[in-house]
Amino acid sequence: MMESVGVYGFCGCKAKNKLKCDSKWEVTAAETAPTSAYSSPARSLGDTGITPLSPSHIVNDANSNVSEQQTFLVVVAIDFGTTSSGYAYSFTKEPECIHVMRRWEGGDPGVSNQKTPTTILLTPEKKFHSFGYAARDFYHDLDPNEAKQWLYLEKFKMKLHTTGDLTMDTDLTAANGKKVKALEIFAYALQYFKEQALKELSDQAGSDFENSDVRWVITVPAIWKQPAKQFMRQAAYQAGLASPENSEQLIIALEPEAASIYCRKLRLHQMVELSSKAVFNGYSASDTVGAGFAQAKEHIRRNRQSRTFLVENVIGEIWSELEEGDKYVVVDSGGGTVDLTVHQIRLPEGHLKELYKATGGPYGSLGVDYEFEKLLCKIFGEDFIEQFKIKRPAAWVDLMIAFESRKRAAAPDRSNPLNITLPFSFIDYYKKFRGHSVEHALRKSNVDFVKWSSQGMLRMSPDAMNALFKPTIDSIIEHLRDLFQKPEVSTVKFLFLVGGFAEAPLLQQAVHTAFGDKCRIIIPQDVGLTILKGAVLFGLDPAVIKVRRSPLTYGVGVLNRYVEGKHPPEKLLVKDGTRWCTDVFDKFISADQSVALGELVKRSYTPAKPSQLVIVINIYSSEHDNVSFITDPGVKKCGTLRLDLTGTSGTAVPTRREIQTLMQFGDTEIKATAVDIATSKSVRVGIDFLNY
């Protein structure tokens, strides 16, 4: 057993670094500590307390990634988007072929339907009815009074990003104002995709495809906090995609990482370059935004019938220009969020290293919808719009669908107006509500750039439409500018623009204008499917991502020797003449620290009372790096290791019992283990952000 002379551990002072303790650890029981006005979590829980025996050290365990040992016949990736969703798959025996799901029934004029809207419809009894176009069309066809009883939800994924205190009981609000559990809705949606995918695979194979044959990959934004990522995994368990006992069957992939993996494979004919740094791919910088992308769109339109994409087992031409240490930015602009991730290339295998912690925010294309809603409130009054949404929910959905197709027609060089059809029930309800016509409201509103058309449409000037995009695009550009100021990002070679919102010519032009002279800007042609295809590739080879940045600081609560003048008096705990500092945050890993996939951080502790047979180790996390105590602001409990050593009394146990604690980082899931060295008894737990 190791001696505890000159041990390292946090002494609980406000310094960031580990400090050497001045003397041997004393072993004592802390549960009988005198209570003070200050309530300490450790004391209130009655924890005996543990003290460090050794410095933390990292063990690179190459065999720790169990998922590589399991074999699956097929990888199915689900891109669960804010506005639209879809799945794609690849058989492990044919990894170069990625199949995008069957064409969906329904669809909108002028809108690609390789994915389906992220919309779900429940019956008045809150049972699942339909998803996607089917949900939207059925809801649209309901009698307005009957529609009020049905629960229609759309764009609900944003709730996971915007809810600060997300739990398993978080509610979502349907269009009719009724509440329903978010976990149920996400599970229904994932179950729907599971059934669709298994049916398609069974049809293709000519026999029933079992769920156990499938490795599932679900994509989430990199900027999501840990509770939201865990929530998605819990929903997938509830939907039957995998189980906690077989967690390796499901991978939670980060959207920009998936995009990055696909961009590695891009050939020259599969991309458009927007930057002014080079004349490339047949387009000069001046005509790229217009003509170049028009050609690309035509290419996509011609190939839309084909749902199988060949991914050559080679590194694309762009990628082959990258050298060891080269950096590039992936800008994933979707419906709800924009994720910015900086990756660095590692040769010879071309593995990816996350160089800078993912940043971004709620700057997706939904921002344009919110601006349109604000414009409607300005013209017709906020009170009317709120009432209309509640009283005529299906008609409000129709109006936003009409706006969506016009939104996609916005372009920098457009000169003719865009017409948005107002549903008849909007015109009718407005007249009842206000006592005058929609046309009268437009004349009175002083909004010059929106006119009334006699065909029952709002006629918007191109400038008016562009103004709706401006706040969202400005936020993206500003965020990118901030990113480019960072020293790690100053020498970026490429910027890959991906995600559904990347199809918007206005966003392309803004990115090109701001950064075209700093790096080469690349847009994959099938930009809306980039993440989906990359997620399939990730499922086929999860080891391609080697290094991530830890989003949080992790540690455990311990007792350290009290040092006068260094530790706050309220942390003093005296027992048998020994003075302890309680509530010390003993750090395993810091926020923004690089962590290799499968990396283990190991640390040894000893119980404060030798006779103790139940050892409780509480795990804590914080977004901050300089954490000293588990009571510091922003520190949250996220796990408990409870090691029960009763029944081991016959074993020869040293006076200083060593409890080894390990945390395995790198994947979106984090596992913690405690092992009693004397008896080899162990306990394992997944870090839990939703139930504490």
Side-chain angles (χ1 to χ4, degrees), residues 168-182:
M168 307 287 260
D169 294 320
T170 295
D171 284 328
L172 294 173
T173 306
N176 62 358
K178 288 185 181 172
K179 293 203 180 310
V180 63
K181 290 275 173 280

Side-chain angles (χ1 to χ4, degrees), residues 451-638:
K451 305 289 182 203
W452 177 248
S453 150
S454 54
Q455 288 91 26
M457 293 188 279
L458 293 178
R459 179 166 288 179
M460 291 183 75
S461 71
D463 287 347
M465 180 62 89
N466 295 0
L468 299 182
F469 278 78
K470 193 175 185 311
T472 303
I473 289 176
D474 285 353
S475 294
I476 296 169
I477 299 300
E478 187 183 341
H479 214 90
L480 269 168
R481 281 213 174 95
D482 288 346
L483 186 67
F484 272 85
Q485 299 297 318
K486 308 275 186 248
E488 308 97 306
V489 189
S490 54
T491 54
V492 159
K493 265 201 178 177
F494 294 103
L495 185 154
F496 291 101
L497 193 57
V498 302
F501 196 28
E503 291 176 358
L506 290 166
L507 177 58
Q508 292 166 23
Q509 188 195 49
V511 172
H512 172 239
T513 304
F515 306 104
D517 59 342
K518 289 185 174 63
C519 59
R520 290 168 64 180
I521 299 164
I522 309 291
I523 305 180
Q525 279 185 353
D526 49 338
V527 66
L529 297 174
T530 304
I531 290 158
L532 196 48
K533 294 184 201 169
V536 173
L537 294 172
F538 186 37
L540 291 166
D541 180 18
V544 70
I545 301 287
K546 281 295 183 198
V547 179
R548 282 204 179 112
R549 295 267 167 178
S550 175
L552 296 170
T553 297
Y554 293 96
V556 299
V558 302
L559 296 170
N560 268 358
R561 189 67 179 268
Y562 188 84
V563 180
E564 200 71 52
K566 210 178 259 184
H567 297 146
E570 67 268 21
K571 298 293 180 191
L572 175 61
L573 186 68
V574 182
K575 179 65 181 161
D576 297 336
T578 306
R579 293 156 64 83
W580 294 98
C581 179
T582 187
D583 298 335
V584 176
F585 186 105
D586 195 13
K587 198 186 294 187
F588 269 64
I589 209 152
S590 297
D592 209 23
Q593 190 174 328
S594 287
V595 190
L597 204 71
E599 203 165 84
L600 288 175
V601 179
K602 194 184 287 186
R603 186 128 183 142
S604 289
Y605 300 98
T606 189
K609 187 168 72 172
S611 59
Q612 189 184 343
L613 289 175
V614 176
I615 287 132
V616 176
I617 300 171
N618 287 317
I619 303 162
Y620 298 89
S621 66
S622 171
E623 290 182 17
H624 308 293
D625 177 28
N626 56 337
V627 187
S628 299
F629 297 103
I630 60 174
T631 51
D632 286 355
V635 175
K636 290 179 179 165
K637 189 171 166 186
C638 59

Side-chain angles (χ1 to χ4, degrees), residues 190-420:
L190 291 171
Q191 191 175 354
Y192 172 79
F193 279 115
K194 173 190 160 191
E195 288 167 5
Q196 292 288 316
L198 288 176
K199 186 174 187 309
E200 181 170 344
L201 288 166
S202 299
D203 289 351
Q204 198 161 326
S207 60
D208 278 357
F209 228 86
E210 296 297 325
N211 187 62
S212 56
D213 296 329
V214 180
R215 161 172 271 159
W216 296 95
V217 182
I218 300 173
T219 61
V220 300
I223 56 164
W224 267 15
K225 292 194 169 14
Q226 295 300 100
K229 292 172 185 171
Q230 185 189 334
F231 187 94
M232 199 58 113
R233 182 171 278 277
Q234 292 301 325
Y237 289 161
Q238 191 160 318
L241 274 69
S243 66
E245 298 71 41
N246 190 19
S247 61
E248 289 81 9
Q249 190 177 359
L250 169 67
I251 295 174
I252 301 290
L254 306 182
E255 287 164 5
E257 282 185 353
S260 195
I261 292 163
Y262 180 66
C263 289
R264 285 158 44 101
K265 304 279 188 182
L266 284 176
R267 309 305 305 270
L268 290 180
H269 63 275
Q270 294 171 316
M271 67 180 85
V272 176
E273 177 153 7
L274 296 187
S275 45
S276 47
K277 280 212 156 187
V279 174
F280 182 71
N281 204 12
Y283 311 134
S284 69
S286 59
D287 66 14
T288 302
V289 175
F293 213 75
Q295 285 181 36
K297 279 179 130 171
E298 176 59 23
H299 176 82
I300 294 165
R301 191 190 61 74
R302 282 200 303 271
N303 288 307
R304 196 157 274 155
Q305 298 308 314
S306 167
R307 294 184 307 105
T308 300
F309 295 85
L310 288 175
V311 180
E312 298 172 57
N313 193 20
V314 294
I315 297 295
E317 287 93 339
I318 282 283
W319 213 259
S320 61
E321 293 180 34
L322 288 170
E323 297 165 359
E324 172 79 45
D326 276 353
K327 305 163 192 172
Y328 60 95
V329 179
V330 177
V331 180
D332 170 22
S333 45
T337 54
V338 168
D339 260 350
L340 312 177
T341 309
V342 185
H343 280 156
Q344 190 173 36
I345 199 83
R346 298 174 76 191
L347 297 177
E349 305 94 341
H351 288 141
L352 309 182
K353 174 182 179 180
E354 187 184 357
L355 194 67
Y356 186 74
K357 195 167 70 172
T359 59
Y363 317 131
S365 61
L366 275 188
V368 185
D369 298 358
Y370 295 144
E371 288 301 314
F372 178 61
E373 192 176 322
K374 273 160 66 179
L375 179 66
L376 292 175
C377 288
K378 191 175 176 184
I379 297 168
F380 302 108
E382 197 173 332
D383 55 341
F384 166 72
I385 295 297
E386 287 309 309
Q387 275 301 302
F388 181 70
K389 283 160 83 172
I390 293 163
K391 300 287 188 192
R392 301 282 188 274
W396 173 256
V397 170
D398 280 354
L399 175 54
M400 293 312 289
I401 290 166
F403 173 68
E404 179 67 26
S405 66
R406 296 295 77 211
K407 181 171 90 175
R408 288 170 183 251
D413 52 355
R414 189 182 177 100
S415 55
N416 51 325
L418 296 120
N419 294 324
I420 297 157

